[in-house]
Every structure is written in structure tokens, then in C-alpha cells.
Amino acid sequence: MVETVWKATSKPSPLCTFLLLIILCILGFYSLHYPHSTVINPNAQNALRFRHIFLSSASNYTIASYLRILTLHPHLAGTAPSLAIVNYVVAQFKSLHLQTHTTQYKTLLSYPTHSSLSAHFTNGTVHDLSLSDSSDDVAVVRPYHAYSPSGTAFAKAVFVNYGRDVDFQAIKELNVSVKGCIVIARRGDLPRGIVVQKAEENGAVAVLIYTEGEEVKGFERGTVMSGVGDPLSPGWAAVDDGESLELEDARVLKRFPKIPSMPLSVRAAQLILNSLGGAPPPEKWRVDLRGVGPGPTILNFTYQGEKKVGTIHNVFAIIRGSEEPDRYVLLGNHRDAWTYGAVDPNSGTAALLDIARRYALMMRLGWQPRRTIILCSWDAEEFGMIGSTEWVEQNLVNLGSKAVAYLNVDCAVQGPGFFVGATPQLDSLLLEVTKKVKDPDSEGSTVYEKWAATNAGTNIQRLSGVDSDFAPFVQHAGVPSIDIYYGRDFPVYHTAFDSYEWMTNNGDPLFHRHVAVAGIWGLVALHLADDSILPFNYLSYAEQLQRYKVFLSNLLGEDKAKVSLHPLTTSIQELVSAAKEAEDEAKILRQQETTGDSVVLKNRALNDRLILAERGFLDVDGLQGRQWFKHLIYGPPGDHESKLDFFPGIADAISQSARMSRKESQAAIQHEIWRVSRAIQRAARALKGELT
Ligand SMILES: *[C@@H]1O[C@H](CO)[C@@H](O)[C@H](O)[C@H]1NC(C)=O
Ligand SMILES: *[C@@H]1O[C@H](CO)[C@@H](O)[C@H](O)[C@H]1NC(C)=O
Ligand SMILES: *[C@@H]1O[C@H](CO)[C@@H](O)[C@H](O)[C@H]1NC(C)=O
Ligand SMILES: *[C@@H]1O[C@H](CO)[C@@H](O)[C@H](O)[C@H]1NC(C)=O
């Protein structure tokens, strides 16, 4: 039998009385300060304390030192120097005693072997427009477009503005044909591959793309492959000994342009464009040129490249959750770069490593997250989100049932100003977290205050684009996601000048913006990993959908009489009611926080519904003709000049209406509206969690 210390007969010692008094005082203090909560929640107190430790252990020095090492050498995916960075990230995670592992894939990559470009002017001179921006810098890959076919062309140059449909239309109206010509386009909003495809459709034989801007120098490298992930394993992971399509397979070939293309420097572009004759450019292009061509200047264009299978490496650090190890909060950033990658992407990698350092410190002080946190370092994003996509495809079912959220940071710091994109249920959390983080550029204010004071206000973008690793998570797997960055449109994008020096001279001289990104990123993750009820708000989602409906209604114009938006109205109402019920339930559960088993199970049941609601927006059949894209609210429209950057299926139906009769097109739009409405209903039912 165990002897109890407090025998009824024995008198308490003075020390015990003293301790008892202290305990009573503490209880009194809590009841004064938390008058409404009957029970003090030690977990919540603890989580608050660790969030404070997280913020106060930030260091611009450590972030700078990580970035310095990450950017010592160029590290293009699939090349030997990129392995050094894989090993560096692994070594950092291991030195922090974090559980670490890597996954490898064999995927189709693309590299240049030879290229040249010269201009033959009418005065008889030939200019070599050398395709190297720093000829002494042999470490940097020569300027190229990944997955461009090899080819040569000796043809007249012609200028097509941004290479959009409206631009080719304007050229036609000038009675100018680009057939047989080498097209020169300035980079706008269209993906490079789409510009090349449109040039090809108009009969061009090769394409040169340059980027404008006062401070722009060098060549902007980039991919011209369409779609997402490894072209040889569309929809499944490119594992060793797995199925791999032949390079000649039609499904592979359709991802690549058929005519060759290369980047052009703005200096070389100016030289060529100023020598063009022909019709003067349309006024609305706002360019100072005599003519758009073709010619008389002739270009001698050669590009030779090879597509080859290479090994890529994703690196993971895992912090196992104490209570819900099977629920995952994922933080991801890619590691591969076209050149030195100081902005793109290693400003994000440096922030990720600093979060790892701070989480490890918290673990030494006794913290363990409630749910599992996974830090992901992706490879081959630049080629087309390959590392993240292969992994998502490989883990689709586990992610589908267990992923809480995916938090992406690509180019963490490009300059001043906070920018963020998110699926709408995460809006409220983002606003709250930015109120806790110091603004890097103005003493005494928070990120939130500076952000709210900008022209756009606290504008949160949506994740319909396919320009970073959130694409497979949102658009294929339906995982609530966020994408965070400071600054935009930096002049050294994808050039050899994206170096540590550029960062210290221009992007973030004191590394305070890096600290802010790491703070927001890591704090959002801590809430998602530690809050007993997930801070998801589906009323924001419903409000956003309501605005989309109004926008769509205006866009439909005359078709509105024949196309009904009623299914959208009804399904959005269902989502509103489910969202309100979930909010009420969350409020009650938050008030009665204890560790009792039944409450834990109730919390978990609500959290699962909050997670699964986003999956409701997925459709097994995906977008028509692009089945990999499963999300019916967010995804890229097939027509990049579409006015809708949401409801991609409806956007496609509207774009195709020109090729159909009025009746057919209205039926197609109506069908897509029904599909979106059913998706919203699925989300609402998942949130309600009851069977019909
Ligand atoms: C283009 O050609 C058509 C038919 O020859 C002519 O009517 C029109 O004026 C021309 N447009 C321009 C801008 O030269
Ligand atoms: C020939 O024309 C090009 C382009 O206009 C110009 O840059 C170059 O200086 C000219 N060369 C001579 C010798 O006039
Ligand atoms: C075009 O350039 C290639 C490679 O630099 C060269 O071999 C070829 O002679 C050039 N063609 C003409 C017509 O100048
Ligand atoms: C970190 O911030 C401090 C305070 O602004 C600054 O003096 C220091 O130079 C910064 N360190 C780095 C590496 O930029």
C-alpha cells in the first residue's frame, strides 16, 4: 500500500502551508484574469509561451549566413553542384537533431548544349548578340528555355508586343504576317510556353523573349513546358522502376512547343527592334519604334539542347506531433535555382532553415507540436514544379486524409512590401498573424499596419496560377494553402545577377524582410499545428464565392438570360450555413477546452471536417482536357487571356464559346456552372459532416 503524505491526523508543515498559499494565489490570479473560463488550459498557455519564444529567437544574422552558403554556386536541378546544396540542407536539419529524410525521382530535365544569335543589318554589319550575360562566369548555365526543341533559323525579325492573341490580331490588322519569321516578344503575363505556342500557330519559325525594365540586365531563363510535374510520368510519381512514357509519346510531346525559343537580353532586343522597318506599331502598344518588321534585319538563330532523365531530391525534416501525429502541417520551399538563386528561391530556403533552427530551440525547451510539422525542400521547381508534384502524386491519399495545410514560400524576399496568396478559409489567420509580426521597414509598426495602409489594403491573392509549388497541393490535392513573399517583379529574376550581392545591395540589405517572412510563415504553422480547433474560417470562403458569382454574372452579359446562376446561389447558401454552424461549434469547443477524451474526439471530428471541406472542391474528372487539375474553384484557365481567374472550368467554357453556336456554348457554360455548384455543395456537406 502506498502511504499518503497527508494523513488526516498530521499537521501540514510550514513549507507545505507556504506552497499551498502560492498555489491559491496563482489560482486567484487566473480567475481574475480569465473570468470567463472555468478551467485554465495549460496547453493554450504553453502554446502562447512558445509562440513568443519563436518570435523572440529570430535572427537576421543566421538567415544571412544560410543564404550566403546556399548561393555560393549556381545549383540548377539535376546538376552536380545542386547536390552540394541538397547535402547542406540535410546537414543543417540533422545538426538540429530533426528527423530527416530525402525522396528521389528520375524525371525528364532539359539543358542547353549550344546556342548562338547574330543580327545581319542592312548596312552590311553583323552583330554577334552573344547569349552569355557574363562571359567569364562559366559556372552559370547559358541562357535558354528548358524543353525548347533544338533548331536553327535564318529569318527576318518581327515584333509582336507581348505575344497575346490580341497582339497577333493587331499585327494582322497591319497586314503584317509573321509567317517564316523569328518573333520577338516582350515578357508580359503570359507563360513563356504559351507565347511560343501562339507564335507557332501564326507560322513563326523561332521565338526570342526579353524582359523590360529600367534595372533589368541579363537574360531571363525559364521553362516553356506546359502543365505541371514530370512529363514522363503524368499523374503518377517518377519513382525508380516505375512506369515511364517514351519521349515520343503524344502525351509527352504535347507538353513542349514545336518551334525553338531562347531568352534575349533587353540590350540586344533594343538593338534589333530599333533597326526594324515595316508598318509602325499600333498606338496602344506604347512602344517607340519605327516599325514592327518583318525585317529588314535578319537574325541567325541556333539553339541546341538535350532533354535527359536526371535524379532530383526532395529533403524533409519532420517534427512529430505529440497528440495528433497523423495530421500534417507542411511548410515548403524549392531549393533548385536557374543561377545563384539568392532571391529565387533561396531567400525562402534561408527562412525555412531559420524556422527549423527556432523550432529545434523550442523543442530543447520542452515544446512538441500537437500535430506533425513537416519542412519540405523541393527540387526541380523551375522546370515545372516537378519535385513537389511527384511527391504529391506519390502521397495523394495520405495527404488527402491527413494534410491540414500547405504553406509555401518561393522567392521570400524580392524587395519591399508584403504580399500573400491563400485559399480563403485561411484569410483570418493570416490577418491575425501579421498583427503579431514587426514590420521590417518601419520601426514600431506591425506587418499588418503597413499592409493595411497600402493602396490595395490587406488584399489576399488567390492560388489559381501554376507558378510555384502550391499548385499540386491546391489544384491536384485540395489542401488549404498559403503563399507568402516580400516585394515583387525584381529586376534580376532568373538571371545570373540573382546573387547574394544583389540581395545585400538591393533586396534586403539588413535581412529584416527575411525575418518578417520567417516570422509570419513559422507563426502561421504554429497555430495550425498547436491550436486545439483549427483556425479555419469558411465564411470567408463563402463570401469570396459570392463575389465570384457577381463577377461571373456581369461577365455573362447577354447570355445571362439563358444561363442560370441559381445552382451557385443555392450551393453558396449551403456553405454559409455549414460555415456558421462550424463557427458556433468551434466557439463552444474552444470554451470548454480540457484534455478529457470526449472533448479531444469532438475537437478532432470538427477539425477533420474543416480540413476535408477544401477537398470537396475537387472533382474526380478534373477540368475537361486537363484532368490533372481537379480543383473547380482555383486553377489556371486554359486560355491565359481569360477574364476569370477562378472557376477554371467555367472560364474554359466561356473561352470556347466563339467556336460553338450560341445554344451549344450556353449549354456548355451551364454544365460547368452545375459542376462548380456541386463542388461547393460537396464542401458544405463535408463541413457539416452529416450524411443526407
Ligand atoms: C490591309 O489590307 C487591306 C486589303 O488590302 C486594306 O484594305 C487595308 O487598308 C490594309 N490595312 C493597313 C493598315 O494597311
Ligand atoms: C549598322 O546598323 C546597326 C543597327 O542599326 C548599327 O548598330 C551599326 O552601328 C551600323 N554599322 C555601321 C557601320 O553603320
Ligand atoms: C549562322 O550562324 C551559324 C553558327 O554560328 C554559322 O555557322 C552560319 O554560317 C551562320 N549563317 C549565316 C547565313 O551567316
Ligand atoms: C541585422 O540587423 C541589425 C539591426 O538592424 C543590423 O545592424 C545588422 O547589420 C543586421 N545584420 C545583417 C547580417 O544584415
Side-chain angles (χ1 to χ4, degrees), residues 241-460:
D241 304 326
E243 180 183 4
S244 183
L245 301 179
E246 297 291 328
L247 199 46
E248 295 74 29
D249 191 294
R251 287 167 288 178
V252 179
L253 291 178
K254 76 169 188 198
R255 306 259 316 256
F256 311 136
K258 292 188 192 64
I259 57 171
S261 65
M262 285 194 290
L264 189 63
S265 72
V266 65
R267 195 185 53 78
Q270 271 155 6
L271 191 64
I272 300 169
L273 295 178
N274 288 332
S275 74
L276 294 182
E283 235 168 67
K284 60 185 170 208
W285 287 8
R286 297 212 194 120
V287 282
D288 185 19
L289 287 183
R290 256 186 317 140
V292 299
T297 303
I298 294 177
L299 300 178
N300 184 1
F301 172 112
T302 302
Y303 172 74
Q304 278 161 20
E306 55 177 358
K307 298 191 183 77
K308 64 175 186 195
V309 172
T311 304
I312 63 168
H313 310 260
N314 295 333
V315 180
F316 302 88
I318 295 140
I319 304 173
R320 189 94 19 219
S322 57
E323 283 155 65
E324 299 184 74
D326 60 343
R327 290 294 175 272
Y328 310 130
V329 175
L330 303 130
L331 293 81
N333 155 264
H334 76 92
R335 187 183 57 247
D336 65 301
W338 287 116
T339 67
Y340 295 93
V343 176
D344 185 3
N346 302 122
S347 54
T349 319
L352 188 74
L353 290 178
D354 208 55
I355 289 174
R357 177 186 68 80
R358 287 145 78 179
Y359 284 174
L361 170 79
M362 289 155 60
M363 287 164 78
R364 286 201 299 279
L365 297 173
W367 171 74
Q368 193 183 1
R370 171 191 291 265
R371 306 183 184 88
T372 295
I373 294 179
I374 306 178
L375 309 178
C376 319
S377 169
W378 311 118
D379 206 347
E381 185 271 354
E382 296 293 5
F383 287 82
M385 278 64 72
I386 296 181
S388 57
T389 299
E390 298 312 302
W391 189 77
V392 167
E393 288 172 347
Q394 190 173 31
N395 294 285
L396 194 59
V397 172
N398 278 334
L399 290 172
S401 55
K402 301 174 192 169
V404 173
Y406 173 68
L407 314 174
N408 190 64
V409 171
D410 187 330
C411 305
V413 183
Q414 314 171 27
F418 176 65
F419 295 93
V420 67
T423 47
Q425 75 275 65
L426 287 162
D427 289 2
S428 328
L429 175 61
L430 268 171
L431 295 178
E432 286 315 306
V433 162
T434 54
K435 289 175 186 166
K436 300 282 186 316
V437 177
K438 279 190 218 146
D439 189 88
D441 296 302
S442 43
E443 192 77 40
S445 49
T446 62
V447 168
Y448 176 83
E449 285 161 349
K450 266 300 273 296
W451 184 27
T454 57
N455 289 339
T458 53
N459 174 47
I460 297 175

Side-chain angles (χ1 to χ4, degrees), residues 172-175:
K172 272 199 194 114
E173 281 160 17
L174 296 173
N175 291 339

